[in-house]
Amino acid sequence: MSFDKKTLRDIDVKERRVLIRVDFNVPLMDGDVADDTRIVASIPTLNYLIDKKAFLILCSHLGRPKGKPVPELSLEPVARRLGELMNTRVGFAKDSIGPEVKDMVEGLSIGEILLLENTRFHPGETKNDPDFAASLAAPAELFVNDAFGTAHRAHASSEGVAHYLLAVAGFLMEKELTVLGGVLENPDHPFVAILGGAKASDKIGVVTNLLQRADKLIIGGGMANTFLSAKGYAMAESLVESEAIESAAEILRAYDSQIILPTDVVIADDFTPDASHQIVSVDSIPSGWRVMDIGPETGRKFVELVKDAKLIVWNGPMGVFEFDIFAEGTKNLANAVAESAGYSVVGGGDSAAAIRKSGLTDQIDHISTGGGASLEFLAGKTLPGVAALENR
Ligand code: ADP
Ligand code: MG
């Protein structure tokens, strides 16, 4: 496999102070963790380090505090939840750098965990400021990056620290890169890729890169509107990105036979959960109406393709699934992906949420913890947080 970076297994961590970049950017609600998927995903790496008798110093960002402390974006509730999940005491430092962190690190016993406060409370984090990166690295001897979800950002905690400490991949990082790397390098066929979600412009890079590899590329959701518009259909009030129409048209010219677009759609007269709605063919969208979901005929066609696939990669919902009446297309597809005997990979925050909402998590082979990172990787880009790790 293409994974050519050193991992945890390649280094001796015994009695070493290890800084671990985790992705604890989790949704909070009323001061508590609302979804602990990403915390759970880091546990194999943490357990391994505890087992190998390291000192564990964890860092992460949470939300967008824009370089200053924002109490609502504190990682303290995450420390609590991690403690519950691991059944151990998790210390919490009220800053990510500075003398107090140093003292707390020195006070750690073997196998103990310290979680540092949100790295984005400092402006140096997103600026990848070398001084901030050096301060983050200061109390540690080794760096483990397990935050696949932020690997596409050259930030201090994902890229900068790797210049100050021996840096290797954690198990989650390794798993994500191995699975997604396999999709690009030696996919099983038939390989069916499904893209949806809001914007075509976010995903043009992925579309072209996947078209080199996939047998069929299904396009649904809001991004299909731009492609349908490029085909000449009148999309009325639908979300269409006029600046992406030309790229969409070019892609369609080059790969017409591989691309599957909706033939019928659910349209609404307003963008609300209780809007009037109807099913129409894509060539009959009346003015004043907008596409909110794929139609039933399209849904059946998509499900049929997924059924026979050996490899399925899905990113982006088929419609405005947050509104129940426009969630059918996404739900049916989620069921088909879950039931398919093919290997299934789902990436993207909203797609993963749709899978969870349908209770299908266990039936998907790999749900990526990275939205933007998985898209950039599948688009063929180098992820700075990965590039900074030690080569094997
Ligand atoms: P992911 O997080 O899985 O990568 P995106 O963030 O790209 O997915 O897109 C998810 C969003 O796309 C959802 O909020 C959904 O409501 C929206 N969406 C899907 N279909 C449409 C549509 N036809 N019109 C407008 N928005 C849509
Ligand atoms: Mg999203």
Side-chain angles (χ1 to χ4, degrees):
M1 189 71 14
S2 70
F3 192 64
D4 54 359
K5 295 295 180 179
K6 286 196 177 164
T7 76
L8 266 180
R9 274 185 230 92
D10 300 314
I11 59 170
D12 182 11
V13 298
K14 189 171 177 199
E15 290 171 37
R16 298 297 201 89
R17 298 183 302 275
V18 185
L19 178 68
I20 308 136
R21 198 344 175 156
V22 283
D23 181 3
F24 285 173
N25 182 30
V26 296
L28 298 177
M29 208 192 285
D30 306 326
D32 229 324
V33 174
D35 179 347
D36 61 12
T37 308
R38 284 177 161 173
I39 306 176
V40 170
S42 74
I43 289 179
T45 289
L46 304 184
N47 274 340
Y48 178 89
L49 286 163
I50 290 171
D51 213 47
K52 296 287 178 193
K53 302 189 166 27
F55 302 98
L56 286 72
I57 313 159
L58 276 54
C59 69
S60 176
H61 81 281
L62 175 64
R64 295 178 182 206
K66 309 233 165 90
K68 54 175 194 327
V70 174
E72 298 74 45
L73 295 176
S74 170
L75 279 166
E76 198 161 10
V78 177
R80 249 190 342 259
R81 177 62 68 90
L82 180 64
E84 287 161 16
L85 286 168
M86 310 246 337
N87 207 4
T88 177
R89 205 183 71 82
V90 175
F92 181 71
K94 291 193 160 47
D95 201 344
S96 53
I97 57 169
E100 198 191 332
V101 171
K102 187 164 174 280
D103 288 347
M104 290 183 88
V105 169
E106 275 161 14
L108 283 173
S109 303
I110 285 174
E112 259 186 1
I113 300 177
L114 175 68
L115 175 62
L116 308 181
E117 182 56 286
N118 194 340
T119 49
R120 286 196 192 168
F121 285 0
H122 290 272
E125 164 70 330
T126 54
K127 288 188 187 131
N128 201 4
D129 171 34
D131 291 337
F132 178 68
S135 306
L136 257 184
E141 299 165 274
L142 297 164
F143 178 59
V144 172
N145 192 345
D146 214 19
F148 175 73
T150 39
H152 60 313
R153 309 252 186 247
H155 289 172
S157 69
S158 61
E159 202 273 346
V161 279
H163 298 286
Y164 297 94
L165 297 168
L166 175 73
V168 301
F171 296 138
L172 174 61
M173 180 73 91
E174 180 187 29
K175 184 173 173 230
E176 293 272 11
L177 294 169
T178 304
V179 171
L180 297 173
V183 165
L184 295 182
E185 269 161 42
N186 56 5
D188 275 338
H189 294 275
F191 170 14
V192 174
I194 310 156
L195 294 175
K199 292 203 209 147
S201 55
D202 289 349
K203 296 180 184 173
I204 291 283
V206 188
V207 167
T208 31
N209 210 35
L210 288 182
L211 279 165
Q212 323 282 322
R213 295 159 174 90
D215 299 283
K216 295 286 177 209
L217 176 72
I218 292 173
I219 301 179
M223 72 177 286
N225 299 340
T226 300
F227 283 83
L228 289 168
S229 181
K231 287 200 116 167
Y233 295 113
M235 301 308 292
E237 294 303 307
S238 304
L239 170 75
V240 172
E241 289 172 281
S242 47
E243 66 287 354
I245 294 178
E246 195 35 52
S247 321
E250 240 168 72
I251 291 169
L252 286 167
R253 274 194 294 276
Y255 299 97
D256 188 48
S257 63
Q258 267 169 276
I259 299 175
I260 317 290
L261 288 169
T263 48
D264 64 340
V265 283
V266 181
I267 57 172
D269 64 352
D270 199 2
F271 192 86
T272 54
D274 52 5
S276 302
H277 54 284
Q278 54 174 316
I279 297 157
V280 297
S281 157
V282 290
D283 61 9
S284 327
I285 301 168
S287 66
W289 291 68
R290 74 203 68 219
V291 174
M292 299 291 273
D293 196 7
I294 55 173
E297 174 191 280
T298 300
R300 279 192 294 276
K301 206 179 308 168
F302 288 5
V303 164
E304 213 47 51
L305 283 167
V306 162
K307 242 185 217 162
D308 300 326
K310 283 256 168 58
L311 172 65
I312 304 155
V313 173
W314 179 19
N315 182 298
M318 294 294 100
V320 184
F321 76 107
E322 295 93 336
F323 301 162
D324 282 341
I325 48 173
F326 306 114
E328 274 311 286
T330 302
K331 265 198 242 166
N332 292 336
L333 188 67
N335 276 311
V337 172
E339 277 165 23
S340 166
Y343 189 87
S344 50
V345 180
V346 175
D350 292 292
S351 324
I355 293 285
R356 271 196 299 280
K357 212 169 156 185
S358 303
L360 299 169
T361 307
D362 293 344
Q363 294 174 64
I364 303 296
D365 292 290
H366 182 72
I367 299 184
S368 178
T369 51
S374 65
L375 281 177
E376 294 208 7
F377 186 87
L378 290 175
K381 290 192 196 147
T382 302
L383 309 181
V386 178
L389 302 177
E390 199 77 11
N391 287 322
R392 197 174 276 287

